[in-house]
């Protein structure tokens, strides 16, 4: 196939695939939560309630898209866009299969970290522009949480970078041919996954939108399509963290018998299921517990992991 | 590639100008972030992807978020906005603008004398940057890390939770 055409197809395939996955996850999450909590979940519209997604879409498109008169209008409109764009852009460096990848950057991992630090702005600006106290409190919490957890999210990944000898995600997958990095880097895997939960603001780290204290946190004032963008952005972010965990620690597309893309999707959706299982079982942390866990447990552990990894690599080289 | 450079450069200059002239602090910060992103783009085109990524992660992603955090906490109302507008009257910015103009003319003169500087340098991979940082510049890296450690200890001391009955001891 013509390489340009192939590239264009991959770009649009990934984009629409992600929108589809995000929409389907709104249904899958409710069904799985219901399963684990002994309820039915949405099972009325269509087979297994699958058409619930369509019903929700009709509802959200026909809702009034209201901008509060007291809000800072341009920033209010910009905020959900920032989250969506930053999350979608991160997928540009994810290698789905040997020939399905948008950009093979030699700084792929840093690009992901850069985009995830930009998505903080979406949350911060949403809360500030809403000009309401619940939204502001929610976004202040979100900024504190995401900034803290970003620090050791990056540190936890450096062990993988040291072992693979590259920031490029394709090189990292290829370096896992013998053994998945999840085995020697099990501490890094755990820290990255926990930090990923905090970055996507999921239970048990959903303090920025704790409904029992802050109404809905930073997106309290949002409605209609703009609210849907936050919602969809969250599901795409979950898929992103799952896809990256697979790429960095669980061998990416590598696996026997099945085609590479199928392996990648299978592993990714197992991890998304784990995200939902965690939401179904764990309670929410208190804010000081959250920061204490981050700075006093995770950060030293990530540093220790990095030092040991470095020492082992040097010892093996016989320096 | 040249077109991309000129577009990013124009965005950087325009965003920086808007940063200086906005009365609303948050809007000014947003333009500053855009300027930093444009500069990261320029680094990328110049063949320094590692520096470009660090520019986004550290400047746009961490330091500016802290700025934004502080501005949000201050929650400047309409009164602060009016005050800021007052400060932005021509009398205030003619001096700095004049000095900046001198620098700009100097830069132009240097550029014209040099007959156009080529933007095409050899691309620099993360490996080379790291080897330089932890090779000849190791002392600088260690000094910077000590400085950061001092900051960390200071913040921990200031943010320490003191019991109400111990208030006098502090």
């Amino acid at each position: 196939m013509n390489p340009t055409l192939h590239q264009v197809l991959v770009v649009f395939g990934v984009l629409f695939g992600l929108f589809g996955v995000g929409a389907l996850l709104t249904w899958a999450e409710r069904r799985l939560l219901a399963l684990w909590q002994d309820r039915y979940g949405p099972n009325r519209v269509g087979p297994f309630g699958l058409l619930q997604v369509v019903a929700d879409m009709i509802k959200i498109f026909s809702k009034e898209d209201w901008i509060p008169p007291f809000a800072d209008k341009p920033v209010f409109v910009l905020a959900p866009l920032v989250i969506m764009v930053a999350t979608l852009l991160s997928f540009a460096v994810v290698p789905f299969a040997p020939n399905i990848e948008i950009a093979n950057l030699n700084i792929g991992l840093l690009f992901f970290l850069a985009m995830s630090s930009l998505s903080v702005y979406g949350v911060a600006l949403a809360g500030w522009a809403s000009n309401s106290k619940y939204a502001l409190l929610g976004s202040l919490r979100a900024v504190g949480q995401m900034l803290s957890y970003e620090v050791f999210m990056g540190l936890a990944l450096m062990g993988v970078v040291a072992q693979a000898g590259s920031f490029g995600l394709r090189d990292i997958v290829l370096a896992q041919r013998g053994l998945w990095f999840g085995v020697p880097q099990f501490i890094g895997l755990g820290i990255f996954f926990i930090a990923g939960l905090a970055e996507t603001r999921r239970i048990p780290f959903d303090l920025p939108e704790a409904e029992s204290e802050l109404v809905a946190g930073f997106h309290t004032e949002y409605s209609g399509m703009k609210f849907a963008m936050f919602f969809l952005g969250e599901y795409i972010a979950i898929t992103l963290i799952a896809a990256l965990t697979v790429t960095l620690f669980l061998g990416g597309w590598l696996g026997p018998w099945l085609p590479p893309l199928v392996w990648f999707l299978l592993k990714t959706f197992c991890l998304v299921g784990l995200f939902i299982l965690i939401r179904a079982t764990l309670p929410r942390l208190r804010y000081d517990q959250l920061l204490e866990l981050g700075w006093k447990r995770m950060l030293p552990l990530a540093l220790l992991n990095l030092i040991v990894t470095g020492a082992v690599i040097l010892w093996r080289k016989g320096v | 590639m040249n077109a991309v450079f000129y577009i990013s450069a124009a965005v950087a200059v325009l965003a920086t100008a808007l940063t200086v002239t906005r009365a609303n602090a948050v809007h000014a910060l947003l333009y500053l972030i855009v300027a930093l992103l444009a500069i990261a783009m320029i680094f990328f085109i110049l063949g320094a992807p590692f520096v470009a990524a660090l520019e986004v992660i550290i400047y746009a992603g961490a330091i500016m978020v802290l700025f934004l955090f502080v501005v949000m906490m201050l929650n400047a109302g309409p009164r602060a906005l009016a005050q800021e507008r007052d400060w932005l009257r021509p009398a205030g910015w003619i001096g700095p603008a004049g000095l900046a103009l001198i620098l700009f003319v100097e830069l132009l003169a240097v550029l014209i004398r040099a007959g156009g500087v080529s933007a095409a340098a050899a691309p620099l991979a993360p490996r080379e940057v790291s080897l330089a940082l932890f090779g000849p510049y190791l002392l600088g890296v260690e000094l910077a890390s000590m400085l950061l450690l001092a900051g960390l200890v200071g913040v921990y001391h200031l943010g320490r939770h003191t019991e109400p009955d111990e208030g006098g001891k502090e």
Side-chain angles (χ1 to χ4, degrees):
Chain A
M1 205 197 301
N2 181 346
T4 325
L5 184 68
H6 176 78
Q7 198 62 12
V8 171
L9 277 181
V10 168
V11 169
F12 282 98
V14 169
L15 188 63
F16 289 112
L18 282 174
F19 282 136
V21 164
L24 266 183
L25 276 179
T26 60
W27 168 81
E29 167 150 52
R30 281 179 285 173
R31 282 294 285 195
L32 283 174
L33 279 180
L35 178 74
W36 283 315
Q37 294 173 344
D38 260 346
R39 298 182 281 116
Y40 284 118
N43 64 352
R44 296 288 135 174
V45 199
F48 307 106
L50 250 173
L51 293 181
Q52 185 70 41
V53 177
V54 182
D56 285 344
M57 255 157 56
I58 293 171
K59 181 186 164 193
I60 261 172
F61 275 120
S62 57
K63 263 196 166 179
E64 186 189 355
D65 195 353
W66 190 64
I67 298 178
F70 45 82
D72 187 317
K73 286 191 185 69
V75 181
F76 189 82
V77 177
L78 184 73
L81 278 173
V82 171
I83 291 198
M84 272 304 258
V85 170
T87 316
L88 284 175
L89 269 180
S90 297
F91 273 98
V93 292
V94 175
F96 294 92
N99 56 350
I100 305 178
E101 179 185 41
I102 295 174
N104 183 18
L105 281 181
N106 63 352
I107 50 155
L109 198 56
L110 291 174
F111 183 82
F112 155 69
L113 289 174
M115 288 304 124
S116 88
S117 56
L118 285 187
S119 68
V120 177
Y121 286 113
V123 182
L125 293 174
W128 177 81
S130 297
N131 209 354
S132 110
K133 51 179 170 292
Y134 293 122
L136 187 67
L137 282 172
S139 70
L140 285 179
R141 281 185 183 184
V143 172
Q145 167 178 336
M146 290 169 82
L147 269 188
S148 317
Y149 276 68
E150 226 161 59
V151 173
F152 55 84
M153 182 187 228
L155 273 178
L157 296 180
M158 289 311 126
V160 170
V161 174
Q163 281 204 305
S166 168
F167 282 111
L169 292 179
R170 173 185 290 267
D171 301 336
I172 291 177
V173 173
L174 290 177
Q176 298 180 70
R177 276 210 189 100
L179 182 68
W180 291 358
F181 284 151
V183 180
Q185 288 292 324
F186 62 96
I187 298 178
L189 170 62
I191 294 176
F192 179 73
F193 195 73
I194 292 172
L197 279 174
E199 282 291 305
T200 50
R201 305 174 298 282
R202 297 275 298 178
I203 286 176
F205 303 112
D206 69 334
L207 290 139
E209 41 199 292
E211 53 278 81
S212 51
E213 8 177 339
L214 292 181
V215 190
F218 62 89
H219 55 61
T220 306
E221 305 293 338
Y222 282 86
S223 63
M225 266 317 285
K226 294 199 192 66
F227 171 74
M229 272 165 102
F230 278 121
F231 206 56
L232 204 62
E234 182 181 322
Y235 284 109
I236 294 179
I238 294 169
T239 318
L240 173 68
I241 298 292
L244 273 167
T245 315
V246 167
T247 308
L248 296 169
F249 295 102
L250 303 179
W253 69 73
L254 302 172
W257 311 307
L258 295 172
L261 185 63
V262 175
W263 266 117
F264 185 85
L265 293 179
L266 206 65
K267 291 176 190 171
T268 303
F269 287 115
C270 283
L271 277 179
V272 172
L274 185 62
F275 262 95
I276 297 170
L277 180 62
I278 288 172
R279 171 168 175 191
T281 43
L282 287 183
R284 183 180 300 139
L285 289 176
R286 233 173 38 222
Y287 199 67
D288 58 323
Q289 290 172 329
L290 168 99
L291 288 184
E292 206 145 297
L293 175 74
W295 289 106
K296 292 192 181 162
R297 307 267 191 292
M298 294 293 176
L299 183 64
L301 206 59
L303 282 173
L304 201 68
N305 181 44
L306 188 58
I307 292 171
V308 172
T309 307
V312 169
I313 289 174
L314 285 182
W315 173 65
R316 274 206 178 157
K317 272 188 185 164
V319 177
Chain B
M1 248 353 174
N2 266 339
V4 179
F5 172 79
Y6 283 118
I7 293 168
S8 325
V11 169
V13 172
L14 194 68
T16 314
L18 285 167
T19 307
V20 180
T21 52
R22 289 307 89 181
N24 186 325
V26 172
H27 293 179
L29 267 177
L30 279 177
Y31 280 116
L32 186 53
I33 293 159
V34 172
L36 287 170
L37 291 181
I39 291 169
M41 191 69 209
I42 290 172
F43 273 130
F44 191 81
I45 298 166
L46 290 179
F50 189 67
V51 181
L54 287 190
E55 173 96 12
V56 179
I57 294 174
I58 296 171
Y59 280 101
I63 295 178
M64 284 302 121
V65 173
L66 288 182
F67 273 51
L68 188 68
F69 199 76
V70 172
V71 172
M72 275 164 64
M73 297 274 264
L74 292 176
N75 201 10
R79 251 185 60 214
L81 208 67
Q83 194 182 29
E84 196 73 33
R85 283 226 174 83
D86 206 35
W87 286 340
L88 276 176
R89 272 188 307 200
W93 52 259
I94 272 181
L99 291 177
L101 190 68
I102 296 174
L103 284 180
F104 181 67
V105 171
E106 262 183 2
L107 181 69
L108 273 187
V110 170
L111 284 182
I112 291 167
R113 270 257 200 85
V117 183
S118 161
L124 206 58
R127 189 181 294 273
E128 277 92 74
V129 181
S130 323
L131 283 176
L133 269 183
F134 289 96
Y137 299 105
L138 183 64
L139 189 65
V141 173
E142 289 302 324
L143 284 177
S145 72
M146 265 184 241
L147 203 63
L148 288 175
L149 183 67
L152 194 69
V153 172
V155 167
Y156 185 70
H157 177 74
L158 289 175
R160 203 166 39 155
H161 185 72
T162 44
E163 296 298 321
D165 53 337
E166 284 180 358
K169 284 183 199 165
E170 280 294 308

